[in-house]
Amino acid sequence: MADGTLTEVGALSLGILGGTGDQGKGLARRFALAGQRVLIGSRSAERALQAAESIGHGVTAGENAEVAAKADIVIVAVPWDGHKATLEALREPLTGKIVIDCVNPLGFDKQGAYALPVEEGSAAQQAAAVLTGSRVVAAFHHVSAVTLLDPEVSEVDLDVLVLGDDREATDTVQALASRIPGVRGIYGGRLRNAHQVEALTANIISINRRHKAHAGIRITDV
């Protein structure tokens, strides 16, 4: 992607809904370190502020609705069980914006992690069904929160699969992902293919448990 695209993306503010969890805080930290203006959202403004202060680097905070309204691009990193209700409540402030869904619908039992069925096909497709006025993109599913939060890790060894039906939106999210040192944003298909990307997280969790690792994905020959 052209340098101009990367520069343009760098000027955009990034809101993270559900930014008080490890995944949200990890992404907030890495993007803030990369020079992005980051806003953390939560149902509780107090919890959001605590998370922002723990990260530093100019990260600001507010309730989800406030962050959804203020940010240029929004990442949805809320728990799966609150996914649909959260988005339904934020439909208006998210209208017209690129919304990046990184939620993995997973269950856990004695055998480990497994993918949950989703009526719409995937969490990203559910987001698109709710946010009919937004440009929904699926990305950042396979990023280790532990790695993102580790101050000893300067570069994240990872390719981020980016899926969506809007070419400009997926190009923007690829450029955004590539602002994190070591990361590449790679186009991974239409939004209808998000299910297997979300479900693959269960396999990665199994790999991590067996090998005591924080595995990521690299795409070859691209």
Side-chain angles (χ1 to χ4, degrees):
M1 241 167 264
D3 288 342
T5 303
L6 293 174
T7 302
E8 183 181 349
V9 171
L12 299 176
S13 60
L14 178 64
I16 302 180
L17 308 181
T20 58
D22 286 345
Q23 187 81 352
K25 283 196 294 186
L27 288 169
R29 178 178 178 273
R30 291 290 167 171
F31 280 117
L33 285 170
Q36 211 79 30
R37 188 155 54 92
V38 178
L39 304 82
I40 281 183
S42 174
R43 287 177 299 177
S44 162
E46 184 180 352
R47 286 184 62 210
L49 182 59
Q50 289 172 350
E53 288 176 344
S54 73
I55 296 166
H57 304 289
V59 175
T60 59
E63 291 185 353
N64 280 331
E66 179 186 359
V67 168
K70 285 183 176 180
D72 297 316
I73 301 177
V74 172
I75 294 178
V76 179
V78 300
W80 167 240
D81 59 4
H83 182 259
K84 189 172 186 178
T86 298
L87 296 182
E88 285 174 341
L90 300 174
R91 186 184 284 114
E92 184 177 344
L94 291 175
T95 296
K97 298 186 179 185
I98 294 175
V99 176
I100 306 166
D101 200 295
C102 69
V103 176
N104 297 307
L106 298 177
F108 296 86
D109 60 18
K110 291 180 180 179
Q111 298 183 64
Y114 61 95
L116 296 173
V118 180
E119 182 180 353
E120 296 85 354
S122 65
Q125 287 170 290
Q126 184 182 88
V130 172
L131 304 174
T132 54
S134 303
R135 295 188 285 168
V136 175
V137 175
F140 301 109
H141 299 90
H142 307 140
V143 189
S144 164
V146 174
T147 299
L148 292 175
L149 290 167
D150 190 343
E152 300 298 317
V153 177
S154 58
E155 292 196 4
V156 181
D157 186 16
L158 182 75
D159 286 338
V160 168
L161 294 175
V162 178
L163 297 90
D165 299 327
D166 182 309
R167 177 65 179 268
E168 183 185 9
T170 55
D171 282 353
T172 298
V173 176
Q174 284 177 252
L176 182 68
S178 298
R179 284 181 59 78
I180 299 175
V183 173
R184 293 190 308 169
I186 303 289
Y187 175 70
R190 297 278 187 164
L191 207 63
R192 67 182 183 182
N193 291 318
H195 166 73
Q196 55 264 40
V197 174
E198 295 171 6
L200 184 60
T201 307
N203 302 86
I204 295 174
I205 290 171
S206 299
I207 291 168
N208 288 338
R209 287 184 172 177
R210 175 63 62 89
H211 297 281
K212 295 180 174 56
H214 303 293
I217 287 177
R218 281 296 191 194
I219 305 300
T220 62
D221 200 32
V222 175

